Structures are given as C-alpha cells and as structure tokens.
Amino acid sequence: MDRGRADARLRIVLGHLGRPAAETVIAHPTSGPVSTASFPQHFQYTLDNNVLSLEQRQFYEENGFLVIKHLVSDADIQRFRDEFDRICRKEVKPMGIMVMRDVAVAKSEFLQNEKMVSKVQDFQEDKELFRYCTLPQILKYVECFTGPNILAMHTMLINKPPDAGKKTSRHPLHQDLHYFPFRPINTIVCAWTAMEHIDRNNGCLVVLPGTHKGPLKQHDYPQWEGGVNIMYHGIQDYDKNNNRVHLVMEKGDTVFFHPLLIHGSGRNKTQGFRKAISCHFSGAEGYYIDVKGTTQENIEKEAVEIANKHWQMKDVGITLKDIWQFRARLVKGERLTL
C-alpha cells in the first residue's frame, strides 16, 4: 500500500475517534504426545472444504493446532529476511510499524541492525513483508478456519535474541485472544512460519494441546526476576499438569493455531537469532466487542497508552477497537464488517 492510501486509512480511524467511544502436505505431529483418542462428530473449529484431510481436521479439532510442513519457500523467507534487515537499518520506514527491543537491551546503545530488534509488529503497510499474508498457500489453509472472506488482523516478524542471562527472551504461556477485541472466536486463526530450524535450544513454541476448548483466562505480567518484555502478558492459573508439546520446526514449516490455545516459547540458549513471521487472520463477517469490564480491560489500557505514544494522539480517546480497525486489511473476499 502506498503512503497516500495508508494516510487515508489513518484519517478514517481518526475520524472515528472524534465520535463518542462505544505440495506434499503433511500434518506434522510434534515433539511430544498429543491426543487423538476422541474425535468430535461435529466439527466446531474447522470448515468444510477440500483442503484439510479428515485426519488433519480431527487433529486440529482435538488439539487446537496443526503444523503443515514446507509451506513457505526458501526464496520467500529470504525476501522477508532482507526486508527485515532494511527495516532494522532504517532504510525503509513503513507507516504504523512498531520496532521493538528486548527488555534486556532496551537501555543499551542503539545500533541499526538486527541485534537490537526483537520484533517488528504491524507491518501491514510494508508491501514486502505483507506479501506473507497474501501467499496463496497460506490463505489456502487460513480459509479452512475463517471462511472465504479473510482479514489480516495482526502481523509480526519475531527475532528472538540470544538470551542475555536474565531469561527475558522467554514468552510466558498465554492465549492470543487476550489481545483481540473481535469475535467470533472460532473464525480467528494464527499462521506462524519458522524462518529457520527452530527447536528447544533457540526457543521453539510450546503448546498445551486441547486448551482451545477452555475459556479465556485472566492475563497479567509474570513476576520474573529478570524482567518481562512489554505486553508479554501471561496466564497465572493454568493447569501445570497439562501436557506440553514443543513444536520443533524446519524453515518454511507453518503452524496454524486457535486463539484460545495456551502457548508460549522458551528462552533462546544459542548465540543466534531465532526468526519467525506470523499473521492472525479473521473472517471478515466478524464484529468487535467492548472489552471494558472483562479480563481484557488491562490489555486495552496498555495498548491505548502505547498507541497514543506511537501515533502521538494524546487526548483523542482511542479504544482497542480503533487500534485494530487501523490494523485490519482485507486479503481475500468481498465482505468487510469488522
């Protein structure tokens, strides 16, 4: 999207703010056991089409995630890496993008390279990175969960740094729905692609299979001695006896998972950076909710404070809904009601 169109989208959001707020495809198991004992007669979390096999649908229904091997090409991943490098060096400055640093190096001398950047978020206005959200092979699977009218809602390229000794490179166990003021829940899905080999040494994803069937839990910052990165909220009362599965993935492998699935990632114990690119998608027929008075109220307050600072819009009265309206982009289909 060019600068003019991006500016126009921002003006629409600001206008709203003036009103009162209201190939061989394999289902890769994982590095640990998962449940396949009882499959539902009625599919609740996947839609009828000819993409997923019966086995794949059953696996997602029971566990809340599905890994597809070799989905994104090496060439595409290299293009994403190159664009990430350009962003780190400030050669390109896409509108709205947030460049984030690990708390362990937040106050150190700034260098314009990947060693100081732990994540770029909201890259919907970066034409090269947003290509990930429009890859036909990604949307082919996304449609199995969202239906044919698809919105790209949240974009990230994660550059998990080598842990500085304080374990700050960890991401606490959480549910992504905590951050989302839109529904319905079951037409939201994340596509998360490994940009290199990822295992427990460099901080792979860890999931708690089947937890997508439970409720949205209370989230807050964990009390970690070494500190916690901004907006890294976690669940405090999850069942510690629940089976954990570590997702060992190769470059190009993609995991699709439900927004209520409890997941996180360990610290990066290597000297290299662990990269992944992701997008949360939603069906375009969805709707927004008011999170005031819910467990999501704390994340709204923090997100609004960050947005006010980032967009320099103090005293405008933005809400979590406004933030997500600016992020949302239609990638497939015609209906747009979110």
Side-chain angles (χ1 to χ4, degrees), residues 52-334:
L52 296 181
S53 68
L54 178 61
E55 180 185 19
Q56 289 171 326
R57 291 188 71 180
Q58 290 172 334
F59 188 93
Y60 187 90
E61 293 278 335
E62 188 67 17
N63 296 287
F65 70 96
L66 180 70
V67 179
I68 304 297
K69 301 287 287 182
H70 314 305
L71 191 61
V72 179
S73 71
D74 288 356
D76 278 325
I77 288 175
Q78 187 58 53
R79 288 179 62 173
F80 302 145
R81 293 180 73 100
D82 292 343
E83 183 69 358
F84 174 72
D85 288 341
R86 286 190 285 270
I87 291 171
C88 292
R89 295 194 300 267
K90 295 188 176 182
E91 294 175 7
V92 293
K93 298 179 181 179
M95 180 182 176
I97 202 166
M98 293 185 67
V99 179
M100 306 175 74
R101 305 174 73 184
D102 188 272
V103 66
V105 298
K107 294 182 180 180
S108 62
E109 182 180 354
F110 182 77
L111 299 174
Q112 291 183 191
N113 60 39
E114 71 164 14
K115 293 182 179 180
M116 290 293 108
V117 177
S118 62
K119 182 190 298 184
V120 294
Q121 186 167 282
D122 300 335
F123 57 68
Q124 65 271 9
E125 307 302 343
D126 184 279
K127 182 178 180 181
E128 184 59 37
L129 288 184
F130 195 75
R131 282 184 54 256
Y132 172 77
C133 307
T134 64
L135 290 175
Q137 65 269 38
I138 292 289
L139 294 179
K140 171 185 174 182
Y141 285 95
V142 168
E143 190 170 339
C144 300
F145 311 101
T146 64
N149 304 315
I150 304 171
L151 282 168
M153 298 298 297
H154 184 224
T155 51
M156 292 189 298
L157 194 155
I158 305 136
N159 187 46
K160 186 188 281 284
D163 197 88
K166 297 183 178 181
K167 300 182 180 180
T168 57
S169 64
R170 294 176 294 175
H171 198 301
L173 291 173
H174 64 284
Q175 296 163 297
D176 288 342
L177 190 68
H178 172 62
Y179 299 91
F180 301 157
F182 46 89
R183 302 293 188 271
I185 298 170
N186 292 341
T187 59
I188 302 170
V189 70
C190 179
W192 193 100
T193 298
M195 295 177 66
E196 57 205 299
H197 174 80
I198 296 178
D199 58 26
R200 295 185 69 171
N201 286 325
N202 60 3
C204 66
L205 289 181
V206 57
V207 300
L208 276 58
T211 51
H212 66 301
K213 301 175 185 178
L216 177 61
K217 294 181 175 291
Q218 180 71 48
H219 288 62
D220 212 332
Y221 282 110
Q223 300 302 308
W224 288 351
E225 184 177 347
V228 186
N229 282 303
I230 187 171
M231 299 190 78
Y232 274 34
H233 290 197
I235 297 172
Q236 308 299 309
D237 66 343
Y238 62 89
D239 183 0
K240 293 180 173 57
N241 294 318
N242 198 304
N243 175 44
R244 295 190 183 195
V245 173
H246 294 85
L247 302 184
V248 177
M249 300 170 67
E250 300 300 331
K251 182 166 66 171
D253 292 354
T254 302
V255 59
F256 297 90
F257 59 90
H258 190 277
L260 282 173
L261 181 73
I262 297 175
H263 67 287
S265 64
R267 61 192 176 100
N268 182 358
K269 295 177 284 187
T270 72
Q271 295 304 306
F273 288 77
R274 188 273 272 162
K275 290 182 176 62
I277 188 169
S278 72
C279 180
H280 283 87
F281 297 90
S282 173
E285 294 84 359
Y287 54 90
Y288 287 100
I289 64 166
D290 185 351
V291 301
K292 287 181 173 57
T294 74
T295 62
Q296 296 178 256
E297 194 167 9
N298 60 347
I299 194 64
E300 177 178 52
K301 180 180 178 181
E302 187 171 355
V304 167
E305 289 175 354
I306 293 170
N308 279 332
K309 181 178 180 180
H310 186 63
W311 292 340
Q312 298 180 341
M313 296 189 302
K314 290 184 179 181
D315 304 320
V316 180
I318 68 172
T319 66
L320 196 60
K321 173 183 174 180
D322 300 318
I323 295 169
W324 286 101
Q325 280 184 315
F326 178 64
R327 289 170 168 167
R329 284 194 61 187
L330 190 67
V331 291
K332 189 177 180 184
E334 296 179 354

Side-chain angles (χ1 to χ4, degrees), residues 23-37:
E23 311 63 286
T24 301
V25 177
I26 303 171
H28 184 52
T30 53
S31 61
V34 291
S35 173
T36 56

